[in-house]
Amino acid sequence: MGARLTAALLTGRVAAEVSRRLGRGGGTVIAGHLVPRIDPAALTKVTGRLPLGSVIVSGTNGKTTTTRLISHLLGQAGLRALHNRAGANLVTGLVTAIVKQADLRGRPRADVGLFEVDEATVPAALLQIRPRAVLLTNLFRDQLDRYGEVHFVAGLWQQAFKTLPSDAALILNADDPLVADLGRERPQPPLYYGIGDPSVGISEPPHASDARLCGRCGTEYSYQIWFYGHLGHWACPACGLARPRPQVEAIGVTLRGDRGTDVRFRTPGGDFAARLALPGLYNVYNALAATACGLQLGLPLDTLRQGLESFTAAFGRLERITVGDRALFLALVKNPVGFTEVLRTVLAEQTTGPQARPETATPGRTLLIAINDHFADGTDVSWLWDVDFEGLQGRVATVVCAGTRAEDMAVRLKYALVPPQQIVIEPDPSRALDRALAVTPLGETLYVLPTYTAMLEVREVLQRAGHVRGFWQD
Amino acid sequence: MADDALTLVHLYPDLMNVYGDRGNIIALQRRCAWRGIELEVVPVSLGDRLPTTACDLIFFGGGQDREQEVVSPDFVSSKGAAVRELVEDGTVVLAVCGGYQLLGHTYTTVDGEELAGAGVFDVRSPPGPRRHIGNIVIQAELDGEPRTLVGFENHSGRTYLGSGCQPLGRVLTGSGNNGEDGTEGAVYRNAYGCYMHGSLLPKNPHLADHLIGRALRRRYGSAATLPPLDDTLEERAHQAVVRRAGKLGAVRSGAW
């Protein structure tokens, strides 16, 4: 009866082990290819045995950090999550996760399944994992060469939800009209989260928006306030479609630059305040998403607060590393909205809130921006022209441009009026890191902003130098 | 030159903006400013009228099918005739991807909806069986000189040229207009259409200056000249794409 599943899992385990011994970066996907050939239902069978069911997390930005955060919250509550790691978020990565975290009879060594899923993989994941909840963070244009336009992905998700059991919960970002609107045809009202503090918003529209027109009637949305990109307090003046009232809301937000964020949360179970180590408004959304998910899983408020405060970011997404007498701040960049927000965090003046300190008199920051155009990064670098680099003018001392598209990055900076003599082109990541560190003053921070594969390269350089661990060990 | 001023109309900047084409506006603005030429950018969107008396350049960028469906009727009914007249009068136009398609006779979306265009270019764009995605390098001729142009194409529409316009160039790497006849883009008088994102003008400063020069001469007479700029970084980026496109080889097709 279970022989086929056992054979599949055994094969997967052997493949993963062989691959690991051959040093193929942790063997994250080979097992995922082999297992379904032996038992196509392996993923469904194993996840079906999880006592508390499964949660699927998807969206353009924040899914890795949000998934890590939920896992951390579950850990605080003494619950064990079975989850896919290191951004292995296609079906193969999900299968690999069960191979590693179930015994050979297919019994999971965990209480809850927690799966970060690539946007285009959501339909397949929903068919194979019958989740108790689906959490969608946001939908931005990201790698148009790969996913297509945002409405295409929204349409995929809308279709895929028709396969969901009616009791499955949807956890949606109320501030993103593309995501919020996905809940309107569900039998059960979704659990919405959003930011309710207008003091951290912007009253000017962003120069480029991915969701300008009402999903129902095609009229241009009107916004009371924008937080970033097309996230904000939106409404359609024609048909009345509007931001749903979020049950989980950040009613007070104090951004403390790269030192973190203070957030006051309002939930159906009561209010609480937490000091997040994660910087930036985008991480307020990640914290809100994880909090909403924690509530859906029945975690107590006090556990949520403690977990939110003790969490530090997912690998490479956002890290602080000490390299000799200098600090290194590493943040992944992958699309216009995310990159613009990372720059806002890097340049943040620490002047808000009671903990504010006057900005130390730094003449200008040192940056290393590494842009690759491999498949996982997106092969089209046009999006760099939609990132607001204009704010760097007068606030950077040196920007080293690295990666396969170092020259494109350099031109973008020149047209953002960064003086050409402050721009260095050094495509090789190792040499670029050496040059950037050499011009970073002692005691100061080097800000390293790479695309996905460039981040892996930078980490490898840092790992060889003994500054960080290999990522599959975490 | 300090008194020189030009006006650029940016068509539907709020709707046709998803492929980073904003870089073209930035490039034109900076390259004018660096020479003491003031370039005023006038956004013109749904329901707006085209300022026809003071219009030296028009830019029309790429958008998603959904936005294109909203833009097409507005453009054809309230702006198409004005743009045609301006083009006949020598106004400089750069249109990329969706904007290029809407300056042709018709564009058909992936879902099969046929959208009308302004008919500035004698081209038609039916949908293709696959998407053309990848780096593109073409050989063009600017002011009588052979020059390469580099960019990134991402389109499912296939564009076919009629006899009323010339191709912008010949494809060296990539698909171009339709992946069949080796042509890319279209030129009619001072109007240029193409599929090249990237953004196009920052990495092709010679094309940017060609457009600015044409606009200047039309407004201020044939004596108007453009002092050269230091384009070291731009040229490096241009050459890097030529090498990269050659290395990565032919276009790959997308699944959507």
Side-chain angles (χ1 to χ4, degrees):
Chain A
M1 196 176 81
R4 176 178 289 233
L5 178 60
T6 299
L9 293 172
L10 184 59
T11 307
R13 205 181 273 192
V14 169
E17 180 60 20
V18 168
S19 166
R20 196 185 62 77
R21 289 199 187 167
L22 290 174
R24 300 258 170 87
T28 42
V29 297
I30 291 154
H33 285 291
L34 289 174
V35 170
R37 292 199 191 165
I38 301 164
D39 186 349
L43 187 54
T44 311
K45 288 177 185 168
V46 173
T47 54
R49 294 171 187 171
L50 287 155
L52 295 177
S54 295
V55 176
I56 283 177
V57 179
S58 192
T60 311
N61 287 341
K63 54 185 177 293
T64 300
T65 301
T66 299
T67 307
R68 295 288 172 112
L69 189 42
I70 297 168
S71 172
H72 181 74
L73 297 178
L74 288 165
Q76 291 281 308
L79 295 170
R80 192 158 170 194
L82 184 161
H83 74 91
N84 54 326
R85 291 207 174 243
N89 57 18
L90 306 178
V91 170
T92 49
L94 308 181
V95 172
T96 304
I98 63 157
V99 168
K100 288 185 173 174
Q101 298 168 70
D103 69 17
L104 286 179
R105 296 162 80 176
R107 290 176 306 200
R109 290 187 289 261
D111 305 293
V112 189
L114 180 56
F115 299 101
E116 172 201 324
V117 174
D118 173 84
E119 293 93 292
T121 302
V122 167
L126 293 188
L127 282 176
Q128 297 195 42
I129 300 168
R130 311 295 287 173
R132 66 177 283 160
V134 180
L135 190 165
L136 301 176
T137 58
N138 49 56
L139 193 46
F140 292 109
R141 87 180 89 149
D142 181 54
Q143 305 187 10
L144 289 162
D145 59 319
R146 205 168 126 202
Y147 295 119
E149 302 169 344
V150 286
H151 299 288
F152 175 81
V153 178
L156 267 185
W157 288 354
Q158 189 83 65
Q159 279 299 317
F161 287 162
K162 292 182 180 154
T163 68
L164 267 184
S166 60
D167 60 347
L170 279 190
I171 303 168
L172 303 176
N173 188 341
D175 295 348
D176 184 341
L178 286 166
V179 166
D181 197 34
L182 292 168
R184 68 182 150 100
E185 281 172 13
R186 295 290 299 167
Q188 269 196 48
L191 181 56
Y192 284 109
Y193 64 90
I195 293 179
D197 181 352
S199 76
V200 288
I202 309 161
S203 53
E204 289 285 302
H207 66 79
S209 169
D210 306 335
R212 189 75 66 164
L213 304 175
C214 175
R216 198 182 291 176
C217 74
T219 309
E220 200 163 334
Y221 286 125
S222 69
Y223 277 76
Q224 277 185 318
I225 197 151
W226 285 267
F227 293 113
Y228 62 82
H230 60 265
L231 306 190
H233 293 183
W234 52 276
C236 172
C239 75
L241 189 69
R243 171 187 185 251
R245 196 179 166 76
Q247 298 96 321
V248 177
E249 196 168 21
I251 54 170
V253 177
T254 306
L255 297 166
R256 301 163 60 238
D258 62 9
R259 292 178 304 139
T261 315
D262 291 337
V263 183
R264 183 153 193 88
F265 293 87
R266 171 151 292 166
T267 78
D271 296 359
F272 68 92
R275 167 161 286 192
L276 311 178
L278 302 174
L281 211 48
Y282 51 99
N283 277 314
V284 175
Y285 278 111
N286 295 335
L288 281 164
T291 302
C293 186
L295 289 168
Q296 207 283 330
L297 290 162
L299 305 187
L301 286 190
D302 208 42
T303 306
L304 295 178
R305 185 187 56 75
Q306 285 169 16
L308 289 168
E309 294 203 328
S310 57
F311 179 77
T312 51
F315 94 93
R317 293 310 200 256
L318 216 157
E319 280 182 297
R320 271 182 211 81
I321 300 158
T322 305
V323 178
D325 298 319
R326 296 168 179 89
L328 197 143
F329 177 95
L330 181 68
L332 176 73
V333 294
K334 51 179 194 168
N335 47 38
V337 169
F339 203 151
T340 299
E341 282 308 296
V342 165
L343 288 177
R344 203 171 5 155
T345 302
V346 166
L347 296 173
E349 301 284 347
Q350 297 168 0
T351 53
T352 49
Q355 299 82 22
R357 280 196 308 227
E359 177 78 340
T360 45
T362 317
R365 288 163 210 254
T366 312
L367 271 64
L368 165 58
I369 303 178
I371 306 296
N372 278 354
D373 66 348
H374 301 303
F375 185 67
D377 305 291
T379 53
D380 181 7
V381 296
S382 302
W383 63 277
L384 293 175
W385 291 90
D386 283 325
V387 180
D388 288 330
F389 291 104
E390 278 68 15
L392 291 180
Q393 188 195 346
R395 300 174 74 181
V396 290
T398 306
V399 187
V400 178
C401 302
T404 54
R405 290 294 193 147
E407 294 88 355
D408 277 84
M409 189 60 235
V411 171
R412 177 68 188 96
L413 292 172
K414 178 182 172 183
Y415 282 81
L417 300 181
V418 174
Q421 62 271 24
Q422 294 179 2
I423 303 168
V424 177
I425 297 177
E426 177 47 77
D428 178 75
S430 176
R431 282 198 296 270
L433 200 60
D434 285 345
R435 285 186 75 165
L437 280 170
V439 295
T440 305
L442 288 178
E444 296 290 339
T445 301
L446 168 64
Y447 296 89
V448 182
L449 313 178
T451 59
Y452 186 75
T453 66
M455 184 264 288
L456 298 181
E457 290 167 3
V458 167
R459 274 198 63 108
E460 202 186 319
V461 173
L462 291 168
Q463 194 194 331
R464 277 202 306 262
H467 300 300
V468 293
R469 292 177 298 139
F471 73 78
W472 55 87
Q473 295 164 12
D474 69 353
Chain B
M1 295 285 289
D3 294 332
D4 289 351
L6 293 170
T7 303
L8 179 144
V9 165
H10 189 178
L11 286 171
Y12 306 98
D14 51 342
L15 295 167
M16 302 288 280
N17 63 17
V18 297
Y19 291 92
D21 295 324
R22 182 173 81 122
N24 295 306
I25 303 288
I26 298 174
L28 291 170
Q29 262 178 322
R30 299 285 187 245
R31 298 186 72 81
C32 282
W34 288 331
R35 290 157 165 142
I37 304 165
E38 192 187 318
L39 180 71
E40 191 195 353
V41 177
V42 181
V44 170
S45 191
L46 297 178
D48 299 339
R49 288 176 65 89
L50 216 65
T52 48
T53 49
C55 178
D56 302 296
L57 295 124
I58 296 174
F59 178 75
F60 200 172
Q64 317 185 68
D65 270 3
R66 189 182 159 74
E67 275 76 20
Q68 240 167 292
E69 284 165 18
V70 174
V71 164
S72 160
D74 179 86
F75 181 59
V76 171
S77 66
S78 74
K79 302 173 181 77
V83 171
R84 274 198 305 277
E85 270 176 44
L86 284 167
V87 169
E88 289 302 331
D89 192 36
T91 301
V92 176
V93 176
L94 177 63
V96 179
C97 202
Y100 171 39
Q101 292 164 341
L102 288 180
L103 285 184
H105 298 300
T106 56
Y107 164 64
T108 310
T109 68
V110 175
D111 299 333
E113 191 185 344
E114 187 175 281
L115 304 178
V120 166
F121 296 119
D122 182 15
V123 304
R124 281 167 213 285
S125 306
R130 68 188 182 107
R131 246 188 127 80
H132 300 282
I133 305 171
N135 292 298
I136 173 168
V137 181
I138 70 167
Q139 183 73 51
E141 205 179 278
L142 298 177
D143 296 322
E145 271 188 57
R147 301 299 297 261
T148 49
L149 297 174
V150 301
F152 193 96
E153 60 183 331
N154 184 352
H155 56 104
S156 60
R158 293 171 298 172
T159 296
Y160 295 94
L161 272 60
S163 57
C165 62
Q166 298 296 315
L168 172 62
R170 191 167 47 79
V171 175
L172 299 179
T173 312
S175 292
N177 279 327
N178 47 50
E180 296 163 20
D181 62 17
T183 66
E184 159 61 3
V187 181
Y188 174 69
R189 298 182 71 89
N190 283 337
Y192 297 79
C194 66
Y195 276 113
M196 300 170 79
H197 304 290
S199 294
L200 174 65
L201 295 183
K203 282 193 289 271
N204 297 284
H206 42 292
L207 179 59
D209 285 356
H210 174 79
L211 300 177
I212 297 168
R214 291 264 168 132
L216 269 186
R217 283 194 291 278
R218 174 173 168 269
R219 170 114 359 225
Y220 297 103
S222 56
T225 54
L226 279 183
L229 299 172
D230 177 357
D231 287 333
T232 312
L233 284 179
E234 291 87 338
E235 283 302 323
R236 279 184 76 173
H238 182 97
Q239 293 306 330
V241 178
V242 173
R243 284 195 308 272
R244 187 108 185 112
K247 189 175 161 192
L248 296 177
V251 69
R252 65 186 172 77
S253 61
W256 58 286

